[in-house]
Amino acid sequence: MTTVGFIYPDHAAEDDYPLAEGLLGDVRLAVEHIYGTDLHAVAELLDLGSPERLAEGAQLLAPHRPDAIVWACTSGSFVYGPEGAAEQVAKLSEAAGGIPASSTSFAFVHAAGALGLRRVAVAASYPDDVARLFVEFLAAGGVEVVSMSSADIDTAAEVGRLTPEAVLDLVRTHDHRDADAVLIPDTAMRTLALLGDIEEHLGKPVLTANQVTVWEGLRLAGAGRVVESLGALFRTLSVPVGAGGR
């Protein structure tokens, strides 16, 4: 059985992963946690995604013998910028014994490419300055952001407490008519159970952080799956390509 390992920061919406595992059926999604501040601020996010913390996560995942590993944190990866984030996953791969590695930020870029998306709207939970770094990261990956909103939520714990109705409202009110899709970039937000309702309402693809993170791990492991309830991204098989920023 294919096993994909995920390093998840603190606790918020990690229950999206066993939900996905149940839908996938024959793939194991192993989640281990690292801890630091959950503040959405640049200095704290740089510390959270440091090589030392991710190496700790890789060590915790080692007994699961994963076929691929993903840093399941968007802000703790894009805050490094494209080159820094590529170095981050390269070091993570090294710490994990050379298995393929990536992060949620690269997962968004790869998922957008897989769906042929070029113009997107971003419905971010972060403060504005952090959300703008995500916009810059996407632009470097060839994804144009035509609209960006920031809910200005300071911590991941607060995001994890959002009700399904609040998440749906966030997405519905921050779509843009020129966007090919809406992106929701926070792994602290529970979204997997809502994907069908959101896409049906908007009439376009929606990419969420935990969704693309799971998809990226499967892609790296060469274990793509079709799961109708996980949105447009999971309705066709992914084609394995290079890890991380390559």
Side-chain angles (χ1 to χ4, degrees):
M1 177 182 289
T2 298
T3 298
V4 181
F6 300 93
I7 302 172
Y8 192 95
D10 293 282
H11 296 276
E14 65 267 31
D15 46 350
D16 267 356
Y17 293 83
L19 173 61
E21 184 179 78
L23 294 169
L24 291 164
D26 61 343
V27 176
R28 184 169 179 235
L29 306 183
V31 179
E32 294 288 352
H33 298 266
I34 60 171
Y35 298 93
T37 177
D38 71 343
L39 189 65
H40 290 145
V42 172
E44 285 77 7
L45 292 168
L46 287 169
D47 176 70
L48 186 63
S50 67
E52 294 78 16
R53 290 192 186 275
L54 296 191
E56 177 189 349
Q59 183 177 10
L60 291 170
L61 282 167
H64 299 284
R65 301 175 63 86
D67 298 289
I69 189 169
V70 186
W71 169 219
C73 183
T74 325
S75 54
S77 47
F78 69 66
V79 73
Y80 281 84
E83 292 185 5
E87 182 179 358
Q88 182 187 58
V89 297
K91 289 182 178 178
L92 175 56
S93 174
E94 181 179 352
I99 65 173
S102 191
S103 67
T104 305
S105 292
F106 283 121
F108 271 110
V109 172
H110 296 155
L115 291 178
L117 307 176
R118 290 293 176 264
R119 296 162 62 85
V120 303
V122 170
S125 55
Y126 314 123
D128 186 77
D129 61 328
V130 175
R132 292 189 181 280
L133 293 177
F134 182 55
V135 172
E136 293 173 8
F137 191 95
L138 292 173
V143 183
E144 178 186 356
V145 176
V146 297
S147 173
M148 188 276 285
S149 61
S150 52
D152 201 29
I153 300 175
D154 287 328
T155 67
E158 292 174 88
V159 175
R161 291 193 292 268
L162 291 175
T163 64
E165 292 75 18
V167 174
L168 288 166
D169 185 62
L170 176 71
V171 185
R172 289 167 178 163
T173 57
H174 295 103
D175 185 19
H176 191 282
R177 63 182 182 182
D178 294 332
D180 302 326
V182 179
L183 276 54
I184 309 171
D186 197 338
T187 57
M189 190 183 298
R190 292 177 178 85
T191 59
L192 294 195
L194 305 175
L195 279 164
D197 289 342
I198 299 173
E199 289 193 339
E200 182 178 0
H201 177 83
L202 298 182
K204 64 179 65 175
V206 173
L207 299 180
T208 76
N210 289 325
Q211 174 209 36
V212 301
T213 300
V214 171
W215 176 88
E216 179 82 336
L218 297 174
R219 180 187 71 82
L220 291 180
R225 297 291 188 273
V226 174
V227 183
E228 291 289 331
S229 62
L230 290 180
L233 182 62
F234 273 86
R235 293 193 188 114
T236 58
L237 283 174
S238 59
V239 177
V241 295
R246 298 193 298 276

